[in-house]
Amino acid sequence: MKKICRTIICLVCCYAITTYLTACSEQSTPSISLGEVTIQLTGINDDLSGLDVQLRNISTGSIFIEQTNAQGIATFSVVPGLYEASTSQTRTGTGNEYYSYNGTSGQIAIEKGRQASASIPMKRAVISRLVIKELYCGGCMPDEGNSAFYYDKCIILYNNSAETINYDNLCFGMAAPANAQATNNNYLANGRLNYEGEGYTPLWNGIWYFPSTLSIAPYSQIVVNIHGAIDNTQTISQSVNYAHPEYYCMFDPESGYNNQRYCPTPSEVIPTSHYLKAAVYGQGNAWPLSNSSPAIVLFQAKDVSPADYAINTDNFWYDGGGNSVAKRCIKVPNAWIIDAIEVFSSDYATQCVKRLTADIDAGYVWMTNKKGHSIYRNVDQQATEQLQENEGKLVYDYALGVDGSSDPSGIDAEASLKNGAHIIYQNSNNATNDFHQRQICSLRR
């Protein structure tokens, strides 16, 4: 009996010691209690389910991702700390458009064992698959002499998607004044443009448009000559050769734009079906696109022909007021605008002001003219690298930027395209982020 009692006592003691040691062990490495936070997407009535929400720990940089439910709510269980939440995603739209969804929260404090909530005000933007890839308009120096050659401008359009796109009534226009550094009398005392919030953008002097449906294959480009649709390199070696049967050109002398210096008869290799038409409502015998700081607008006329819209007096608007034909513009609905780019002149850094409102182009890109430089769109590095067909085809170490302006992706887009890659370009409706100044136009091979 005594042996049994001693055995029981020993077992109890052993259990007590084991329990104590276990308790000590747990106290030395305690489990971490988590906090919970729910993130609600707000501000728009679209379906906000299935969007990735990113939660970032501000102190550690750790990132957590959860998808929203049917109510647009994402729920996280994370260690206590200070966080920021954001979401940025695109969704396929209809026709030639897709949609970007963007939003960020303020700082979110998450405490141990507690529930928190926060909201992300969302913004939706309609993004076109068609973009302005490159603008060459600053001219170059001749082989002899000191006068710059400006009569070789062009715009290159690009299908920034994996689907063929088709456009009717596709048009080009330019905002007023022609130069960003010119006196701009369209600003109000509050520092805002007098057409901001009015739902339209005034385009000056005249517009150009494709006379038939334009079709662009996936990841392909269309070259549109503005002035000098010939082989300019025959007289100016640093210029551009536009004598190519696939190129388009702005040539319509019957419109009134018949200045032979700006618009010589195009090369015979360019088919007449590739001649754009002009609708002129201002003054002059050539489309006066700035060679230092233009603001180019690409748009699609809806439910009306471009020519009919341009001659309708109800659509007239005058740069700086008054009724001078020289200042005449037309009001193009912002809903028609597909893409735009605001250029500032490096020679007039303190004088340039915006002509395009933030919803059309929230930024600007600097250009130094007379040196053969072009304005080139940056590569969307993440989207481009994620394309499986690009494996082994992307060329890096891009080195054609100018004066500190370059493509932050480091991808040489033109070399990659020649290597068989598909390029997706950045498109945030902000020229400061989307473009850089390139040493030479990409058409110079």
Side-chain angles (χ1 to χ4, degrees), residues 224-239:
V224 181
N225 168 268
I226 299 172
H227 296 144
I230 57 176
D231 183 359
N232 297 283
T233 63
Q234 295 296 314
T235 54
I236 310 289
S237 64
Q238 300 301 306
S239 187

Side-chain angles (χ1 to χ4, degrees), residues 25 91 96 137 193 203 343-344 380 397 407 413 437 441:
S25 176
R91 284 181 170 174
N96 296 321
C137 64
L193 287 161
L203 299 184
V343 180
F344 279 7
D380 185 329
D397 299 324
D407 188 332
Q437 188 171 191
C441 176

Side-chain angles (χ1 to χ4, degrees), residues 125-178:
V126 179
I127 305 297
S128 170
R129 303 180 196 276
L130 181 63
V131 298
I132 297 171
K133 170 188 161 180
E134 188 172 9
L135 170 64
Y136 170 63
C137 64
C140 62
M141 296 304 294
D143 299 345
E144 297 181 2
N146 298 317
S147 298
F149 178 69
Y150 294 120
Y151 309 106
D152 59 347
K153 302 178 176 71
C154 75
I155 299 173
I156 301 178
L157 303 180
Y158 184 82
N159 179 353
N160 209 30
S161 76
E163 300 178 11
T164 298
I165 53 177
N166 299 285
Y167 280 92
D168 293 316
N169 297 331
L170 189 64
C171 312
F172 294 99
M174 55 184 167

